[in-house]
Amino acid sequence: MEITVERRDDGLVVVHPAGRLNMVTAGDLRELIASTITAENAHVVVDLSAVSFIDSSGLGALINGLKSAREAGGDLRIAAPNDQVRLVLQLTNLERVLTPYGTVDSAFADV
């Protein structure tokens, strides 16, 4: 899995994972999200448009990032999940906690 980070002028941090987000790669995402969260950059969007698959470990990494962002006074939101990711969110009822947004820009449009 390849993960890039974009720090935007509006204060958002956009994380772009690509590939399979599973037990093998979830730790890398968890560490990267934790390292990007600061008091100044506590609003994180994880752009899932290039993620082809997610499992429970991947969901755990996202939930861990959500917790870290909220503890820093911000939030973590997900954008552009594919059908498989949406299905996993629905089956686990995590779509209530990790509401999927259509695009990165719409994820924090209300802030």
Side-chain angles (χ1 to χ4, degrees):
M1 166 170 270
E2 181 180 323
I3 307 170
T4 59
V5 177
E6 172 190 0
R7 296 180 193 282
R8 297 180 15 168
D9 292 337
D10 59 6
L12 286 181
V13 175
V14 183
V15 178
H16 301 275
R20 298 175 60 87
L21 184 48
N22 57 22
M23 182 178 69
V24 175
T25 60
D28 293 338
L29 180 63
R30 183 176 20 259
E31 289 175 18
L32 188 128
I33 291 172
S35 70
T36 64
I37 295 172
T38 65
E40 299 81 31
N41 292 315
H43 289 86
V44 178
V45 179
V46 180
D47 178 3
L48 297 174
S49 61
V51 172
S52 59
F53 174 85
I54 193 168
D55 68 5
S56 60
S57 298
L59 289 176
L62 293 174
I63 295 296
N64 189 302
L66 175 65
K67 181 181 174 193
S68 296
R70 288 188 175 167
E71 286 174 353
D75 203 1
L76 179 140
R77 299 182 182 179
I78 60 172
N82 68 19
D83 290 340
Q84 188 272 334
V85 174
R86 283 185 181 272
L87 180 60
V88 171
L89 289 169
Q90 290 170 353
L91 292 173
T92 58
N93 284 322
L94 285 176
E95 64 188 359
R96 296 178 188 189
V97 178
L98 289 169
T99 303
Y101 292 85
T103 65
V104 168
D105 290 330
S106 67
F108 277 98
D110 62 340
V111 176

